[in-house]
Amino acid sequence: MKKNTLTLSSVTKQAAHTKLKVLLAENNQAKATVLMNVLSNDHYDIFHIAHSGMPLLKDVEQLDPDIIIIDIESPDRDMLENLNQISQFAPKPIVVFSEHQNPSTTINQLVKSGVSAYVIGEVSHQRVRSIIDVAIARFAVFQDLKQELAATKQKLSSQKNIEKAKLWLMENKQLSETQAYHFIRKTAMDNSQKMDDVARNILSVASIL
């Protein structure tokens, strides 16, 4: 499944120029009609499906919505698995409306599955749009933080590999720390590679010697 995530800047641009695609999973046609009427304006394109089970994953892949709204009494294992898969392969802002209070363990599972907003009980029509807007904004901020964290982890991992490769060169090729660093850097430049790639190649060779 293709990843297609929203960032805070892309949400702002998208909201200004295009309609947001809303995938509404609701098996009660009357409730679905009410929600669709509430969201029926120039800001949303609504696509209704009458389930939230395993086919949901396929619907998300085909439609590539900007936000997913699920109205359920209680999330089951299939839905939680769906949300986990969506969060992993195609993160989207997700709003879950539930008529009844669920156990804290279920709520924790929903949050871990990428749900941006979990709303219990009846919701006034006036609040629905604001809930969606907040969920999209919260999701965008989370995605930005997630990307920053991933970049930081990658940088730390790269630095660790370079340090290990330098140490191996110093111990096995009798190079000084400066010479070892310049060797890795020059090799990377000569081969149009990243220093991390060169360092990992050196460590790979070192592991088989």
Side-chain angles (χ1 to χ4, degrees):
M1 186 180 290
K2 177 181 67 174
K3 284 194 175 183
N4 184 12
T5 60
L6 298 176
T7 63
L8 196 54
S9 59
S10 66
V11 167
T12 303
K13 292 178 181 179
Q14 190 171 19
H17 299 288
T18 63
K19 290 185 177 182
L20 294 178
K21 286 191 290 185
V22 177
L23 178 60
L24 172 61
E26 169 59 79
N27 57 13
N28 184 310
Q29 185 59 51
K31 292 176 66 177
T33 300
V34 171
L35 277 171
M36 292 171 72
N37 288 337
V38 170
L39 298 175
S40 179
N41 62 19
D42 293 335
H43 192 53
Y44 303 103
D45 272 334
I46 307 166
F47 300 83
H48 173 230
I49 57 175
H51 61 79
S52 58
M54 291 308 293
L56 177 61
L57 201 60
K58 186 175 181 180
D59 293 323
V60 172
E61 184 177 17
Q62 292 178 344
L63 179 60
D64 190 22
D66 298 306
I67 186 167
I68 301 168
I69 299 177
I70 301 173
D71 193 346
I72 54 171
E73 291 187 8
S74 180
D76 56 22
R77 182 177 298 179
D78 283 348
M79 196 201 82
L80 290 171
E81 178 60 26
N82 261 285
L83 296 181
N84 280 325
Q85 293 293 318
I86 292 169
S87 177
Q88 181 178 356
F89 295 109
K92 305 289 181 183
I94 301 172
V95 176
V96 172
F97 291 106
S98 179
E99 292 183 357
H100 308 291
Q101 174 73 47
N102 285 287
S104 58
T105 53
T106 301
I107 296 174
N108 289 336
Q109 286 179 304
L110 286 169
V111 173
K112 290 179 180 179
S113 299
V115 171
S116 303
Y118 176 71
V119 185
I120 303 170
E122 292 187 9
V123 178
S124 66
H125 298 169
Q126 291 81 3
R127 288 186 58 210
V128 173
R129 293 176 186 173
S130 63
I131 290 171
I132 291 174
D133 290 341
V134 169
I136 291 175
R138 180 180 296 168
F139 172 82
V141 170
F142 177 77
Q143 287 302 116
D144 285 343
L145 292 174
K146 188 176 179 180
Q147 291 173 8
E148 289 177 11
L149 179 60
T152 299
K153 287 183 176 181
Q154 177 59 41
K155 184 177 179 179
L156 292 174
S157 176
S158 175
Q159 291 174 344
K160 186 176 181 180
N161 288 335
I162 293 171
E163 289 301 317
K164 285 183 177 180
K166 278 169 49 181
L167 182 61
W168 186 86
L169 289 171
M170 291 165 64
E171 292 178 347
N172 294 273
K173 300 299 181 181
Q174 288 74 53
L175 300 180
S176 67
E177 183 176 1
T178 300
Q179 288 172 329
Y181 177 82
H182 285 302
F183 174 82
I184 297 173
R185 183 181 180 187
K186 185 176 187 304
T187 303
M189 293 177 64
D190 291 345
N191 294 278
S192 299
Q193 292 180 303
K194 296 179 180 178
M195 290 182 65
D196 183 37
D197 294 332
V198 174
R200 284 190 283 110
N201 289 339
I202 292 173
L203 294 174
S204 179
V205 170
S207 69
I208 61 176
L209 291 180

